[in-house]
Amino acid sequence: MNILCSIILNKIIRTIIYAIVLIIILLYPIFFRLLGLPVKYKFVEEYNFKVNEPTGLKMAVILPSDGPYQEITNVDISWEGDTEIIDHGTARVVRISGKLEDSFCIRIKYTAKMKTGRINWDEKVIDKYIQDESGIESTENLIVSKANSIAKGKSIDDIREIYNFVNKHIKWPTGDRIGSEGDVQSALTALKTGEGVCGEFANLMVALCRAKGIPAKSISGLFIPLLPGLKKPIWNHQAGAHAWVEFYADGKWHFADPSHGGAMNFNSIDGLHLSYGEKESIKQIYDSSVKWAGTDYHLIVAMSNPLKFVVATSSENVIIEPAGFLDTNNRYLFFIAAIIVLIIAERLLICHHPALSLDSHG
């Protein structure tokens, strides 16, 4: 009986160890974050064109660039025509032009190395980051009054109080989205209604910070899923559009995601937030891309989230299917390989130590 119990216990222990190994492989960003290690992702954007006749093409794609908690490398563009890359700081624009002779797929790949842990950084503070702007109504009496009731000063503890308030005050809408007015994700509306999506969470936190004279900005980007699917999402991206906050305190800039909330998303980076930069700046880059592409050509499509691109052609008879996804083949192949290795190791262990097998004691 004691031998049987020992065998069962060994079996349970080995199963737990194998499960832990497989979970670490699948959810490695969580463990990298706990260890403060950077995480690498391979991003792919595909733009499939279907044309019935040769047509001129002008296309602009906005991609992320290097930032305080990310490094973008290995940018590869599958296009034989003219390509120009314009760097705008935290974002870059790829301008593609030439002629489509036949149906074609323009594929853009890049690698993002994401930092994790407590990351603070130096960056110039400009007046814009303490001023009122569209959707961030920091001078409105209601917002000023609320900011003064939440925070007494400008310390990081005061900002944490603002962060916690926003996270608890705003609820994600369950029906029709009412947290914004038109295209503007309004901080004032979110404060009044208590409803909104990530953009309202970010804008309200920024507005409350600015009302206290604390520099802050609303950031536009992508949130990377822990387990991306294998299917390519047409007219979408596996990493969903997201918004969060960067704020200035104690002489440094810091990160916060009020829509996710919790201690882990305040003044700490999880390696899952890919930044395109300050939201208003990205809007200006997008608007200028629309103007550039639409000059002399027919504007076919313009998309600002989660993919950010503009397409114009000399012919109107063009169909495009865009898709954004993460290249996770290596991770899933590694997962399958790990399962095979563990099974082989289990068989070899039993072959060398038959007493560990339950079957031998049947």
Side-chain angles (χ1 to χ4, degrees):
M1 187 67 181
N2 289 336
I3 295 176
L4 183 60
C5 289
S6 178
I7 293 171
I8 293 174
L9 181 60
N10 286 332
K11 191 81 171 178
I12 292 173
I13 292 173
R14 292 203 305 275
T15 301
I16 292 173
I17 292 173
Y18 296 162
I20 291 173
V21 170
L22 296 177
I23 289 172
I24 289 175
I25 293 172
L26 279 179
L27 304 180
Y28 74 95
I30 294 177
F31 298 95
F32 275 48
R33 178 182 183 179
L34 294 175
L35 297 172
L37 299 174
V39 187
K40 281 188 177 182
Y41 302 93
K42 293 181 179 180
F43 286 82
V44 182
E45 295 185 14
E46 289 185 349
Y47 299 91
N48 289 284
F49 289 88
K50 297 178 181 178
V51 298
N52 296 322
E53 58 184 1
T55 181
L57 170 69
K58 291 177 74 176
M59 179 178 181
V61 182
I62 302 174
L63 300 177
S65 190
D66 293 346
Y69 38 90
Q70 65 195 39
E71 180 183 350
I72 308 300
T73 58
N74 303 323
V75 179
D76 180 70
I77 305 164
S78 63
W79 172 250
E80 295 181 355
D82 294 332
T83 302
E84 179 186 12
I85 299 179
I86 304 171
D87 201 327
H88 291 273
T90 58
R92 66 186 75 177
V93 178
V94 178
R95 287 184 175 180
I96 293 170
S97 57
K99 196 169 187 179
L100 283 172
E101 299 287 351
D102 202 350
S103 296
F104 188 78
C105 176
I106 295 177
R107 185 177 290 107
I108 300 175
K109 300 179 181 179
Y110 61 91
T111 300
K113 182 180 179 181
M114 311 294 293
K115 296 179 182 178
T116 63
R118 184 153 293 186
I119 308 293
N120 305 321
W121 64 96
D122 294 314
E123 183 184 327
K124 185 178 179 181
V125 177
I126 59 178
D127 291 342
K128 174 184 177 180
Y129 299 145
I130 56 173
Q131 294 174 348
D132 186 287
E133 64 180 83
S134 176
I136 302 176
E137 305 93 336
S138 56
T139 58
E140 286 285 340
N141 290 335
L142 185 61
I143 285 182
V144 173
S145 174
K146 178 55 69 175
N148 288 332
S149 70
I150 299 169
K152 305 306 178 186
K154 302 180 182 181
S155 72
I156 199 163
D157 289 332
D158 290 309
I159 300 169
R160 184 182 286 106
E161 291 299 319
I162 292 174
Y163 166 83
N164 289 332
F165 166 78
V166 172
N167 176 256
K168 293 176 182 177
H169 178 73
I170 300 179
K171 307 300 180 187
W172 289 76
T174 54
D176 293 336
R177 186 172 180 274
I178 62 171
S180 62
E181 298 176 350
D183 293 330
V184 178
Q185 295 178 313
S186 167
L188 183 61
T189 302
L191 180 60
K192 290 178 179 178
T193 65
E195 284 197 356
V197 295
C198 57
E200 280 88 7
F201 279 86
N203 281 0
L204 180 55
M205 180 174 172
V206 170
L208 292 169
C209 284
R210 291 184 183 181
K212 295 295 296 181
I214 300 166
K217 47 186 173 176
S218 186
I219 303 299
S220 174
L222 297 174
F223 183 72
I224 305 166
L226 284 172
L227 286 174
L230 296 175
K231 185 178 179 181
K232 297 179 183 179
I234 305 301
W235 287 101
N236 209 336
H237 201 301
Q238 284 180 338
H242 195 45
W244 57 92
V245 173
E246 292 174 2
F247 64 89
Y248 188 80
D250 299 335
K252 297 283 186 180
W253 283 91
H254 308 259
F255 168 95
D257 186 346
S259 66
H260 286 178
M264 296 291 283
N265 286 297
F266 182 84
N267 197 24
S268 180
I269 306 292
D270 58 8
L272 299 173
H273 291 71
L274 181 66
S275 170
Y276 282 74
E278 197 254 334
K279 192 185 298 183
E280 187 60 29
S281 297
I282 295 302
K283 183 179 183 302
Q284 293 173 6
I285 295 171
Y286 175 78
D287 290 343
S288 66
S289 296
V290 172
K291 184 177 180 180
W292 169 80
T295 302
D296 301 326
Y297 276 18
H298 302 286
L299 192 63
I300 301 299
V301 63
M303 185 178 188
S304 61
N305 265 320
L307 295 166
K308 304 177 189 297
F309 72 98
V310 181
V311 172
T313 58
S314 58
S315 169
E316 293 183 306
N317 190 21
V318 175
I319 297 174
I320 178 173
E321 287 188 349
F325 54 95
L326 288 95
D327 184 352
T328 55
N329 291 338
N330 290 341
R331 192 200 303 190
Y332 291 127
L333 286 174
F334 188 36
F335 176 74
I336 294 171
I339 292 176
I340 294 172
V341 169
L342 290 174
I343 292 173
I344 293 173
E346 173 82 7
R347 294 296 96 195
L348 290 174
L349 185 64
I350 291 174
C351 287
H352 285 84
H353 302 280
L356 295 177
S357 173
L358 282 173
D359 295 336
S360 65
H361 294 269

